Amino acid sequence: MRGARALAFLAGVVYAFLLLPIVVVVLAALNAGDYLTFPPQGFSLRWFVHFAQDEAFTHAFVFSLELAALATAFATVLGTLAALYVARHARRAADALRVLFVAPLQFPAILTGVALLIFFYALHTKAQGTLSLVVGHTIICIPYVFLAVSVVLAGFDRSLEEAARGLGASPFATFRRVTLPIIGAGVASGAAFAFINSFGEFPVSLMLAGVGATPLPIELFDYLRFDFDPTAAAVGTVNIAMATVVVLVTERIVGLEVLYRGRR
Amino acid sequence: MSSIVLEHLAKRFGEVVALDDLSLAIADGELVAFLGPSGCGKTTTLRLIAGFETPDRGAIYFGSRRVDGLAPERRDVGMVFQNYALFPHLTVWQNVAFGLEMRRLERQAIRERVRAVLREVQLEGLEGRYPRQLSGGQQQRTALARALVTNPSVLLLDEPLANLDANLREEMRFFIRTIQREHGITAVYVTHDQSEAMVLADRIAVLMGGRIVQVDRPEELYRRPRDLRVASFVGVCNVLTGELAGRRGDAYAVETPVGRVFASGPEGLGGPRVHVILRPEDLALASADRPDEPSADGRVRLPGAVVARAYLGNLVDVRVEVAQGLVLRVQARPEEAPRAGERVVVAYDPRSAWCVADA
């Protein structure tokens, strides 16, 4: 009993540590005062209105959404294919490939950003911009999909595919009717994390953002250099809300427990 | 429906030889069981027939159609997997309909066919359930229905009853057998359970080390095994090893540690070392001080002492030491079984004993 209570207390402390900054940001966004201060001075939604009326912010917001959607789409396809290949055909190269596909997660993102910037400069002069951002974000999103799909594949029973083939399904029909529906939960949760990650990505965006191609975190960073008002907190709150919605929707549709149970 | 012919099949996995020159012809409508210990090549053979593996050498025919180069989906086989391999995201109905949908049948035809097969395997009312909501036996029948629904040329069963409890397993044996007969479908049944093979199969192919050691009807296999490995794999057997010492009438005489014994055997049995196989149910017990039968009946008598007995309900498994370190298992009726330590005589009819040459 005492052990259980101690554990509950410890869990509470950890949650508080994780969640308090979020609470602070949300409270700061609802601050009626003119500066980013804590505790807030009165309650107001004026900074959200300010955010919604600021063209630079709304542009950046929409751009970030589009960027995250594209990067997620590419990362989901590539990450899923990579996971399938590594799980099934890579044989001796499997370990090396696994490290390779997860590498963007382990490298400091700023290094990935710098490396990509140098790489794109070597290709052509217009290294910063939408195309570079999409490629960069795809690369840093792939690990999330790769890992989520790999987990589901580890518990996948290959005889299901054989059964389908035996029943007359072509390899493609087998993938579409059997494999994909079964690993779908892993693919979807990988995609959700990819989306959240792309939407909040800073270091890579910092290197690759260009004129007319500024994701929201970069726009926010620029803003904070000159104005220290609660609009920044409002933007942060919008970000938090987005991530929460994506996670909840994914959880609701497919159940994120696949990520630690391996299967539904 | 068609016959299956396997010609000189060979398959290696890296350094491991899974199959080494396996040939077998299975008649139209016949059920052949592949029986053998794990790693003997029985599952590999089944997977070659299904098309999940390709042979290194040899050919496979369904009727006159050569299939070993075809993809699994073009072979027209029905397969029941050991773990059933039911699609977890589909209902019973959808699982069974899958093969028909892949063949692009019309909706109405699919509906009728699925309904008929589900009735046949007694799964009516469970159409909307998902596999995880079914009992083991129901999953098994779903798998069977899914394999049969397309009217395949051949039915392949890979240890389909291994995951069921004992009672259900026995019931399902007869069920599978009945369905296979009714459909007249050629079937290959892989198992390591000899009693399952006996009940189900028209013929049993015993596989060992990637080769077929013997193919025969169950009775033949049990009564006239080719060698000691087959004998000890199908059923319990007692073995008396000795030297061939000539013939007496139909029987061979064998010189063993318990004296000269007699047994039937194949024509042209090679010596000198041979094994006499005695099934426990063919051995009779008599009290040592009361030899109640005339000795002129040709029966072989081996005196010994009971060293252990195990009560099995319908009978008693008696172990009799007939020579130093040589113990025979005898089945006795509970009311007749001697106690441990008692002196007894083990008697058998030479016609029920079988000699095999030393491998």
Side-chain angles (χ1 to χ4, degrees), chain A residues 157 160 162 165 167 177, chain B residues 47 73 83 89 101 103:
Chain A
D157 176 7
L160 294 173
E162 291 177 346
R165 296 289 300 277
L167 289 165
R177 295 284 308 269
Chain B
R47 294 174 60 78
E73 63 267 26
N83 61 1
H89 59 298
E101 284 168 12
R103 282 166 175 71

Side-chain angles (χ1 to χ4, degrees), chain B residues 86-298:
Chain B
L86 296 174
F87 305 130
H89 59 298
L90 301 181
T91 62
V92 168
W93 182 280
Q94 291 165 334
N95 263 283
V96 176
F98 188 91
L100 299 174
E101 284 168 12
M102 289 301 128
R103 282 166 175 71
R104 304 190 187 288
L105 263 67
E106 294 199 2
R107 271 198 176 177
Q108 186 58 31
I110 292 178
R111 207 171 303 149
E112 284 166 15
R113 183 80 190 114
V114 173
R115 191 169 296 148
V117 173
L118 286 177
R119 190 180 314 125
E120 192 177 359
V121 299
Q122 296 153 28
L123 281 175
E124 293 154 301
L126 301 178
E127 294 89 347
R129 297 258 189 112
Y130 285 92
R132 63 179 176 278
Q133 301 169 317
L134 300 176
S135 71
Q138 290 164 346
Q139 292 183 19
Q140 219 285 326
R141 280 180 282 152
T142 307
L144 192 60
R146 187 179 66 175
L148 287 169
V149 75
T150 56
N151 274 324
S153 318
V154 303
L155 180 63
L156 307 175
L157 304 116
D158 185 9
E159 308 232 16
L161 306 182
N163 292 332
L164 298 180
D165 62 56
N167 284 334
L168 197 54
R169 194 153 58 215
E170 210 144 298
E171 190 186 314
M172 285 304 295
R173 283 175 193 167
F174 290 103
F175 187 70
I176 289 179
R177 183 58 168 152
T178 309
I179 289 208
Q180 183 263 340
R181 282 264 168 80
E182 275 169 7
H183 285 248
I185 188 169
T186 313
V188 178
Y189 190 106
V190 163
T191 181
H192 65 267
D193 179 339
Q194 49 102 4
S195 58
E196 205 166 291
M198 294 267 179
V199 172
L200 275 158
D202 293 306
R203 282 190 301 157
I204 297 173
V206 179
L207 271 77
M208 280 170 188
R211 284 171 172 272
I212 292 180
V213 184
Q214 187 172 0
V215 198
D216 254 318
R217 290 182 301 111
E219 310 89 275
E220 282 291 308
L221 202 68
Y222 188 74
R223 304 269 35 146
R224 302 167 192 277
R226 165 87 52 86
D227 63 23
L228 201 53
R229 291 176 303 167
V230 175
S232 41
F233 201 79
V234 291
V236 178
C237 70
N238 297 297
V239 183
L240 297 175
T241 303
E243 300 221 333
L244 194 57
R247 304 195 63 148
R248 186 186 73 180
D250 293 338
Y252 287 104
V254 181
E255 209 61 59
T256 71
V258 292
R260 172 167 292 212
V261 301
F262 298 92
S264 57
E267 281 304 313
L269 178 68
R273 225 167 109 83
V274 295
H275 306 281
V276 178
I277 291 154
L278 300 167
R279 299 291 184 186
E281 66 275 18
D282 295 327
L283 301 180
L285 288 174
S287 172
D289 46 51
R290 195 166 49 83
D292 50 352
E293 286 174 71
S295 54
D297 63 353

